[in-house]
Amino acid sequence: MKSSKNRFSFFSVFFLLFVMELVLCGSGQIIHVVGGLTLRMLNYLLALCITSFYICRKHMNKDTGKILMLFVFTTCIGISLCLISDNTVNLFDDIKQLSFFLMLPFMSYMVKNIDMVNAVSKTIRYSVLLMAIIYLVYIILIKFVGVIDFRTFYILMEDEGDFLFRGNKGEMFYKGFLYLAIGLLFWIKERKYFYSFLILLAIYYTMTRGFYVITILCLGLLYIACHKVTSGTIFFLLIFSFCVLLVVNYLGLFDVSENREDGDALRVLTMQQVFERITPLSLIIGHGFGCGVPVRTIHMENAFLEIFHKQGLIGLFLWSYLLYKIVVFYKHVPFIYKSIASVYMIGTVGIYVQSLFNPYLTNPIGMSFVLLSFVVCNKLSNINEDSLCTCSLSAKIV
């Protein structure tokens, strides 16, 4: 029995390190263990082994099982269409990212109690704070002090696919910065406003419109979730947020000597080419994995557009149903845990919105938090509120 406890303790520690890597390491290509094997790939393989261990010992959560079966069904349709059309060149690129969905049962088995929910939240919170501090120190050194030479640093980082520089003063877009807005919610919930300010400052220096939008959106939703607000207040918040976006855009704070019109035109052209290829059959099941359009042969900036093109309305149903279930679970969470559940639910909404600009939802960066939110909200919703007075906070939840 003692060794069993140690084994489960090891699994829990591994899970927290697994979450930390997801938050900090962007697309997962930053840390290589050996050769082409990255730390994320290694974690993925270990997680599959641990999941197999648990599946042999206990039943899978029924809600997790239903979502997983729906994912397998829609994925098999996409693969079948790809094989039928003999367009398999880019099949692996699609399946590689979507295969991370198989981490859902692993997360479900790992999040066994309230203590683990709190540990995961703390891991995300401090990982995001670390990311923000590192980025702000970098901005100070390259932009204000001049210790780092931009041209030299640019040459050093130009082969790293996770980074995209904004202008020539050092500001950059990093794929992992998606978690800045999510981490901000965690720190605000903890009422740590200095740390919140640091993260907000880091978000500003990303010079990324999408991050600005989801930050404002998430903060507004967090305010609504934490306060009893009227329809008039919600309308005022929407108008206020829209005005802030207009002012920021007018002052040119969205741009850093960079032409964004080309990117916007490319998104519009991608949408046109997708719509031009719609057929009655593809409307329902899509064209299959590996099938792009002339301007975007593999992946598209708008994740939902790519899902629709490759998997049709069936694919969109999967991701819509996943969001719907998270919201439903959140509504059934006992009041005492509503605060922490709201952060996961709102963070998920933010990722869905951000996926209109960048394909976060269909890759491990955004998908991991969405799946984690599904598990956390599901587990918290299964707690009997009447028993909270007599049960320990670390009581198991199924």
Side-chain angles (χ1 to χ4, degrees):
M1 179 64 70
K2 184 176 181 180
S3 61
S4 176
K5 289 183 178 179
N6 289 337
R7 181 169 63 248
F8 289 130
S9 176
F10 168 77
F11 289 165
S12 298
V13 171
F14 169 75
F15 178 58
L16 295 178
L17 293 175
F18 177 88
V19 172
M20 182 184 297
E21 191 276 337
L22 287 170
V23 175
L24 290 175
C25 293
S27 66
Q29 300 297 317
I30 294 179
I31 302 177
H32 288 258
V33 178
V34 56
L37 180 66
T38 64
L39 179 59
R40 179 158 303 173
M41 294 178 187
L42 178 62
N43 287 346
Y44 178 83
L45 295 174
L46 291 175
L48 286 179
C49 293
I50 294 173
T51 302
S52 301
F53 169 80
Y54 274 100
I55 288 177
C56 294
R57 292 173 59 92
K58 60 186 296 187
H59 293 295
M60 188 183 302
N61 175 282
K62 63 178 182 179
D63 294 305
T64 298
K66 289 178 181 177
I67 288 290
L68 191 62
M69 289 303 295
L70 182 59
F71 166 76
V72 171
F73 172 71
T74 57
T75 302
C76 286
I77 292 177
I79 294 176
S80 299
L81 290 173
C82 177
L83 296 177
I84 291 173
S85 63
D86 196 25
N87 186 23
T88 59
V89 176
N90 298 321
L91 174 61
F92 180 73
D93 288 316
D94 282 333
I95 298 302
K96 180 177 66 174
Q97 293 194 12
L98 289 175
S99 64
F100 197 83
F101 205 101
L102 298 178
M103 291 295 96
L104 178 60
F106 170 64
M107 295 178 180
S108 181
Y109 283 124
M110 291 295 99
V111 182
K112 298 187 289 287
N113 52 54
I114 304 300
D115 288 341
M116 179 55 73
V117 173
N118 291 331
V120 170
S121 302
K122 188 175 182 179
T123 299
I124 295 174
R125 197 164 68 239
Y126 280 99
S127 296
V128 170
L129 180 62
L130 176 63
M131 184 192 303
I133 291 175
I134 291 175
Y135 183 57
L136 288 175
V137 170
Y138 156 79
I139 287 294
I140 291 172
L141 294 179
I142 197 169
K143 184 179 178 71
F144 298 104
V145 180
V147 173
I148 301 177
D149 178 67
F150 171 75
R151 192 175 299 275
T152 302
F153 189 75
Y154 178 85
I155 295 174
L156 181 67
M157 301 295 293
E158 64 179 345
D159 292 332
E160 296 289 341
D162 278 22
F163 299 91
L164 178 64
F165 287 95
R166 304 296 198 192
N168 57 6
K169 295 183 179 179
E171 294 93 340
M172 70 169 72
F173 165 87
Y174 169 56
K175 292 180 179 180
F177 283 164
L178 171 72
Y179 279 94
L180 289 175
I182 296 173
L184 178 63
L185 300 177
F186 281 98
W187 281 111
I188 289 178
K189 184 190 73 69
E190 294 293 320
R191 298 181 183 275
K192 302 293 185 179
Y193 299 121
F194 176 71
Y195 295 154
S196 301
F197 172 76
L198 291 179
I199 296 172
L200 198 58
L201 195 60
I203 292 173
Y204 169 74
Y205 278 110
T206 65
M207 297 298 169
T208 303
R209 294 174 295 180
F211 292 160
Y212 292 169
V213 170
I214 66 166
T215 299
I216 294 174
L217 173 66
C218 289
L219 290 177
L221 291 176
L222 184 64
Y223 179 84
I224 293 173
C226 296
H227 299 80
K228 293 181 178 180
V229 295
T230 63
S231 299
T233 303
I234 295 176
F235 178 75
F236 170 77
L237 288 173
L238 290 174
I239 296 298
F240 176 76
S241 300
F242 181 70
C243 291
V244 169
L245 290 174
L246 287 179
V247 171
V248 172
N249 186 54
Y250 176 76
L251 295 176
L253 300 180
F254 280 146
D255 302 299
V256 188
S257 303
E258 186 176 305
N259 186 5
R260 301 290 179 89
E261 286 76 12
D262 292 342
D264 295 336
L266 181 60
R267 286 177 170 87
V268 173
L269 180 58
T270 303
M271 185 179 301
Q272 290 175 347
Q273 293 183 351
V274 167
F275 288 162
E276 288 170 357
R277 286 160 176 77
I278 294 177
T279 65
L281 183 61
S282 71
L283 179 67
I284 306 299
I285 60 176
H287 295 278
F289 292 126
C291 181
V293 293
V295 294
R296 279 288 179 255
T297 56
I298 304 179
H299 298 301
M300 305 174 190
E301 285 83 357
N302 188 325
F304 301 105
L305 192 65
E306 181 177 343
I307 293 169
F308 174 71
H309 180 67
K310 296 178 179 179
Q311 296 181 277
L313 293 177
I314 290 180
L316 289 177
F317 174 76
L318 166 67
W319 296 101
S320 301
Y321 183 69
L322 182 61
L323 177 60
Y324 166 77
K325 292 299 291 185
I326 291 173
V327 174
V328 170
F329 292 148
Y330 167 74
K331 290 183 176 180
H332 290 89
V333 171
F335 178 77
I336 190 173
Y337 299 125
K338 216 58 163 188
S339 177
I340 183 61
S342 66
V343 174
Y344 284 94
M345 188 270 292
I346 294 170
T348 295
V349 173
I351 290 174
Y352 271 71
V353 173
Q354 180 63 39
S355 295
L356 293 169
F357 306 96
N358 303 101
Y360 278 112
L361 185 60
T362 52
N363 71 56
I365 306 173
M367 189 191 306
S368 58
F369 187 82
V370 172
L371 297 179
L372 191 58
S373 298
F374 176 88
V375 170
V376 169
C377 291
N378 174 239
K379 296 301 179 88
L380 292 180
S381 70
N382 288 331
I383 298 177
N384 186 348
E385 192 163 12
D386 294 334
S387 66
L388 288 177
C389 296
T390 57
C391 291
S392 167
L393 286 180
S394 60
K396 284 191 175 182
I397 46 183
V398 296

